[in-house]
Amino acid sequence: MTYMAIPNIGNYTIALATAVESLGIKAWASTATTPEALKLGIAAAPETVCLPLKAHLGHFIEADRAGVEYAFMVNSVGTCRLRYYRHMIEHILKDLGLKIKIFGLGFDGFKPPIVRHFDPGPITFLKPLFHTALKIKVIDKLEVAAWRTRAIEITHGDTTLLMNKLLVELSESKTMARTRAIRKKVAGCFAEIPVDKEKKPLKVGLVGEISFLRDKCLNKNIEYILGSQGIELRNFFLLGEELKNITRIVFLNQNKRKYLSKVADRYLQCTVGGHALDSVAHSIHCADEGYDGMIHLCPSGCMPEVSVRPILKRVSKDKDIPILEMSYDEHTCDVGISTRLEAFADVLMERRKKQPARPSRGEGN
Amino acid sequence: MIMIKRLHKSVGVYIDMGNQFLKNISPEWMWKSGHYSGSSLRIGIPRMFFYYIYPDLWETFFGELGMEPVVSRPSTRKTVEKASQISETEHCLPNKLFDAHLAEVVGKVDMVFVPRVLSTIKNHLSCPKFGPLPDAARADIARGTEVLSIDIDENKRPLSKTLLLLGKKLNIQKSKTLSAIKSAFIAMESANKKMVLLNKKKGKPRFLLVGHPYVIHDNFIAGPILSKLESMGVEVELISFADDTPAKSYILWSTANKIYHKLNTLSSEDYDGVIQLTVFNCGCDSMMIDTYRQLVKDKNVPYMYLMVDEHLAQSGIDTRVEAFIDSLRWRG
Ligand code: SF4
């Protein structure tokens, strides 16, 4: 059996695996970078590159050790370091004498080389793609439900258990019909978790660099930590949404980016690169919607995200919304993170007590 | 209409009004804040980034337009101290220095100039950190001062057009702007020529110093290294960025591609060594340094890499440079 390593994009890796299997090969992946992979990456990469690259690289090295022959990753896109990831990773892997072959996935022609290589034939190829899209939608739904429920669950861990159970089911689902069935039962399953309906949880938005928004290992499980502190989250990385943006750019040329630019216009008149514009726009948006606070995640030294920090600070002052800046490097430890998050939650709680009626708290949607 | 009349006396009142109408009829900085005092306007230019990317261009241009350009003083240890107080801790060193330079001119001038340098040569991009510079300036350090800005994007329009637009923004006659552009380009060209060689000494070992223009020409970052090299009597050539036609490569960042191109076409006859100067937290360099090193190594030219951070000490630099040059002697 041929295996292909796919990059970790959090729980969405499950959906991506389905796409890879459409090529008639097996997917080698995990829903979070493993600490071992991260260690391998850190050891092999130049010291000054950013952490997501090290995680990526480590993942591939680990794959190669496990005997995986192929891997794929995004091609050169964007204005920041991401554009050079593939070049650098390929070089390092070659220097290490590893044989794993990397396919780039980007807009280079109708049939990307990866499809040409495995040539699965159109029918076997297209159907799983729809299945992938469906799975992505289900995962979006799961994530959203989990952020809400975790904050008000009565027994700690219920939500996470349920989430994991459903994710396993989803990854085992081989047919569209089963996936649809899972989608149907999501809402019901989450409704069964005993919750404290009276509780008005703090609402916090997560923005920043995407690998940190989605990878539990990199962000030190921030969603879980915050959720179990009774904080309702909104993580601004939902793959379904992102994909919608991309297709809209291609087909309708009327995308969310434009809307975001408009929201951020008073503070930032440039798209910067990465998700920096999103960070600013979402922060403004959340402030207007009455969120209690924002958390901005990025790897230390991240070019686009760090460069908008002064702007986020201004937003925070103007709109009176606390924004916590978190940056991660390889020395960041779990304890440090949870301490900072706890302190932040305390601050938000104090603020809530002082001004109990923050405007327009969107109930239940 | 009343609004427009009052606008000419004091525009400051309209900060944050977000009046779409005013925005449409007046130059960008007018509705942002501040006041307009005619031609002898003092304009502040931070001595960083675009100041070195376009040497002498801005002073000449604004000067010819009848304004008074005020450039911040060259970076010193003081600048760095100031930078570490006011700037974002995770910025790269040049960006921190930029903030300090900006802070130096703010308050002394009627407006500051911070362009958005998106691309300096066609089909290339600048470092993503340049994008939000004017916005960050408005949000933080230059708050309350007019920030004059313009997009410099060679993928959209050439620099001369950009400057023409800038003149229009300032409500200056087209003919005047045109002649200012002409002088500015001439000034930039001669400055570019002057910037290259440090000291010419026949028969001495000759080194090439590479790095971003605002790194190798900054007094704090490159000063100690240049003075050390000078005192050792070696000839140093600073990489020139004047040539705007580097061969296409996989690199999209303009400065990085120019450096790549230069190193790629390097001959071991021309130089006795290459000194790579980089700065703490520079994202672009972090991706490129290994490629550069490999290129130079393949040419069989000695290579030294120096990273400068806020705590740069002359003694440390001295030892490294001496060791490098000594090792070349033994190399024979
Ligand atoms: S290229 Fe490097 S030094 Fe220059 S602004 Fe970008 S990160 Fe900073």
Side-chain angles (χ1 to χ4, degrees):
Chain A
M1 196 72 205
T2 321
Y3 277 88
M4 166 160 309
I6 53 183
N8 295 323
I9 46 172
N11 295 333
Y12 295 100
T13 319
I14 292 172
L16 216 60
T18 311
V20 166
E21 273 152 24
S22 72
L23 299 167
I25 44 181
K26 277 227 139 87
W28 191 90
S30 62
T31 52
T33 309
T34 59
E36 293 75 42
L38 197 56
K39 250 186 231 145
L40 288 173
I42 289 169
E47 199 193 324
T48 46
V49 301
C50 51
L51 206 51
L53 182 133
K54 295 178 182 172
H56 240 80
L57 178 66
H59 183 61
F60 290 152
I61 297 179
E62 212 184 22
D64 185 89
R65 295 214 173 145
V68 176
E69 293 157 66
Y70 300 102
F72 86 80
M73 63 181 296
V74 289
N75 249 346
S76 316
V77 284
T79 59
C80 75
R81 290 184 255 200
L82 180 64
R83 178 174 279 277
Y84 308 96
Y85 268 28
R86 183 163 163 223
H87 186 89
M88 184 172 237
I89 288 183
E90 274 178 341
H91 265 262
I92 296 175
L93 291 176
K94 215 173 90 198
D95 285 349
L96 289 174
L98 304 184
K99 282 196 222 54
I100 191 164
K101 178 170 166 45
I102 297 185
F103 288 100
L105 202 65
F107 303 101
D108 49 356
F110 186 62
K111 251 190 177 185
I114 183 174
V115 179
R116 253 177 269 146
H117 184 90
F118 292 101
D119 212 7
I123 307 276
T124 36
F125 177 61
L126 279 181
K127 215 174 150 207
L129 276 193
F130 286 121
H131 195 184
T132 306
L134 184 66
K135 280 197 179 178
I136 290 177
K137 271 188 213 147
V138 180
I139 297 170
D140 272 5
K141 209 169 168 187
L142 279 174
E143 297 273 7
V144 174
W147 303 332
R148 299 248 158 85
T149 323
R150 195 178 280 133
I152 48 174
E153 66 189 5
I154 288 172
T155 332
H156 271 324
D158 274 0
T159 313
T160 313
L161 277 180
L162 175 66
M163 176 96 175
N164 288 346
K165 192 178 131 245
L166 289 174
L167 284 174
V168 170
E169 262 181 55
L170 196 65
S171 67
E172 282 163 0
S173 157
K174 294 269 180 279
T175 61
M176 301 266 279
R178 268 204 71 189
T179 308
R180 268 191 217 110
I182 297 174
R183 178 166 74 171
K184 256 195 211 122
K185 72 176 187 187
V186 170
C189 286
F190 276 96
E192 274 169 24
I193 294 180
V195 293
D196 177 0
K197 290 234 170 61
E198 295 297 289
K199 197 166 164 186
K200 290 249 178 295
L202 292 165
K203 268 180 123 181
V204 168
L206 285 185
V207 289
E209 203 274 340
I210 51 170
S211 25
F212 277 82
L213 288 182
R214 74 210 171 187
D215 195 320
K216 288 192 274 303
C217 165
L218 291 182
N219 68 27
K220 310 282 182 203
N221 223 348
I222 190 168
E223 286 189 9
Y224 180 78
I225 298 177
L226 288 170
S228 46
Q229 305 244 339
I231 293 179
E232 184 179 328
L233 285 179
R234 172 145 180 217
N235 183 331
F236 280 93
F237 178 77
L238 283 177
L239 192 63
E241 298 278 309
E242 296 278 321
L243 290 181
K244 256 195 243 157
N245 284 346
I246 294 172
T247 41
R248 271 195 219 132
I249 293 170
V250 177
F251 296 117
L252 293 173
N253 196 21
Q254 168 219 60
N255 55 64
K256 211 172 162 201
R257 272 282 151 90
K258 265 197 195 148
Y259 166 72
L260 292 177
S261 303
K262 221 163 125 198
V263 174
D265 186 62
R266 261 195 59 202
Y267 292 93
L268 178 63
Q269 289 148 9
C270 155
T271 52
V272 192
H275 282 64
L277 173 67
D278 305 44
S279 298
V280 174
H282 289 317
S283 302
I284 296 171
H285 203 91
C286 286
D288 292 342
E289 278 193 358
Y291 274 58
D292 295 280
M294 298 298 291
I295 299 179
H296 182 226
L297 301 179
C298 66
S300 95
C302 172
M303 297 201 277
E305 300 292 344
V306 168
S307 69
V308 296
R309 275 194 188 170
I311 299 167
L312 285 174
K313 275 191 195 127
R314 172 55 49 199
V315 172
S316 164
K317 269 185 212 145
D318 285 0
K319 306 248 169 199
D320 190 29
I321 180 169
I323 301 183
L324 178 67
E325 296 286 358
M326 301 276 274
S327 71
Y328 295 76
D329 61 21
E330 52 236 59
H331 310 296
T332 306
C333 65
D334 301 19
V335 186
I337 296 292
S338 48
T339 320
R340 285 192 67 193
L341 292 178
E342 275 159 32
F344 186 61
D346 286 346
V347 170
L348 296 187
M349 214 52 202
E350 284 302 309
R351 281 171 57 94
R352 173 70 81 77
K353 275 183 205 143
K354 272 186 207 140
Q355 31 164 203
R358 277 183 69 83
S360 72
R361 184 163 311 284
E363 291 287 10
N365 57 22
Chain B
M1 287 321 258
I2 303 163
M3 264 186 192
I4 306 168
K5 271 186 202 147
R6 280 177 58 199
L7 181 73
H8 287 286
K9 282 192 204 126
S10 151
V11 189
V13 189
Y14 298 110
I15 313 176
D16 292 347
M17 274 187 63
N19 189 318
Q20 209 53 37
F21 178 60
L22 287 183
K23 191 169 166 179
N24 289 340
I25 58 150
S26 53
E28 188 186 340
W29 53 266
M30 280 182 96
W31 52 268
K32 278 269 148 53
S33 65
H35 44 272
Y36 181 50
S37 55
S39 60
S40 67
L41 206 75
R42 287 164 67 83
I43 184 157
I45 305 173
R47 194 185 286 268
M48 236 309 134
F49 296 144
F50 43 91
Y51 177 83
Y52 291 111
I53 297 174
Y54 300 107
D56 276 3
L57 180 87
W58 305 115
E59 296 109 298
T60 320
F61 181 71
F62 290 123
E64 290 279 312
L65 292 184
M67 304 165 113
E68 190 189 329
V70 180
V71 184
S72 57
R73 279 162 290 151
S75 322
T76 57
R77 161 108 10 227
K78 278 237 167 63
T79 323
V80 180
E81 277 161 16
K82 175 96 188 169
S84 49
Q85 283 163 14
I86 59 171
S87 187
E88 167 57 49
T89 32
E90 274 178 46
H91 271 334
C92 58
L93 183 55
N95 204 337
K96 284 190 189 176
L97 289 173
F98 172 83
D99 283 351
H101 281 285
L102 183 64
E104 187 189 320
V105 287
V106 163
K108 289 189 199 154
V109 292
D110 301 308
M111 63 164 104
V112 289
F113 177 59
V114 184
R116 199 189 300 282
V117 187
L118 296 172
S119 159
T120 60
I121 35 177
K122 221 176 157 111
N123 297 329
H124 286 68
L125 292 176
S126 299
C127 170
K129 288 196 144 239
F130 291 172
L133 271 189
D135 303 301
R138 283 184 189 122
D140 191 16
I141 290 164
R143 196 170 162 74
T145 306
E146 289 165 26
V147 176
L148 175 68
S149 184
I150 186 128
D151 287 9
I152 300 179
D153 188 348
E154 292 281 331
N155 295 319
K156 285 210 188 108
R157 52 169 183 255
L159 185 60
S160 51
K161 281 251 171 63
T162 307
L163 292 178
L164 207 59
L165 221 67
L166 191 58
K168 208 166 155 196
K169 259 192 186 188
L170 290 163
N171 280 344
I172 284 164
Q173 272 174 357
K174 193 169 173 188
S175 57
K176 202 170 169 189
T177 314
L178 280 173
S179 81
I181 294 174
K182 214 166 154 198
S183 334
F185 276 170
I186 294 172
M188 178 160 78
E189 205 173 305
S190 72
N192 260 327
K193 278 196 195 115
K194 263 188 273 160
M195 279 167 97
V196 175
L197 268 192
L198 182 65
N199 48 330
K200 214 178 171 78
K201 293 201 177 79
K202 271 260 145 54
K204 295 277 156 104
R206 185 187 173 108
F207 289 90
L208 177 69
L209 185 73
V210 297
H212 299 288
Y214 43 83
V215 167
I216 55 176
H217 293 287
D218 183 83
N219 187 46
F220 175 80
I221 303 174
I225 292 138
L226 291 177
S227 65
K228 179 66 197 170
L229 287 168
E230 188 161 16
S231 76
M232 293 190 76
V234 294
E235 188 184 326
V236 185
E237 183 186 320
L238 276 61
I239 185 171
S240 162
F241 291 90
D243 176 20
D244 274 347
T245 50
K248 270 204 105 162
S249 73
Y250 76 102
I251 303 171
L252 206 67
W253 287 322
S254 45
T255 5
N257 196 27
K258 283 182 184 180
I259 296 176
Y260 178 84
H261 182 64
K262 173 84 185 172
L263 296 181
N264 205 9
T265 52
L266 199 75
S267 137
S268 57
E269 316 263 288
D270 296 346
Y271 301 104
D272 297 279
V274 172
I275 300 173
Q276 165 83 54
L277 193 56
T278 173
V279 278
F280 186 63
N281 248 345
C282 171
C284 300
D285 282 352
S286 75
M287 296 306 277
M288 296 299 154
I289 293 287
D290 277 2
T291 316
Y292 297 159
R293 180 187 291 128
Q294 198 55 44
L295 274 181
V296 180
K297 231 172 98 191
D298 290 347
K299 302 256 149 102
N300 214 0
V301 178
Y303 174 88
M304 177 172 73
Y305 159 90
L306 277 173
M307 170 167 322
V308 173
D309 63 12
E310 282 142 82
H311 316 292
L312 171 89
Q314 179 82 46
S315 58
I317 292 290
D318 286 359
T319 349
R320 299 261 337 249
V321 172
E322 274 165 26
F324 180 60
I325 292 181
D326 284 345
S327 75
L328 299 188
R329 288 214 184 96
W330 296 322
R331 196 169 172 263

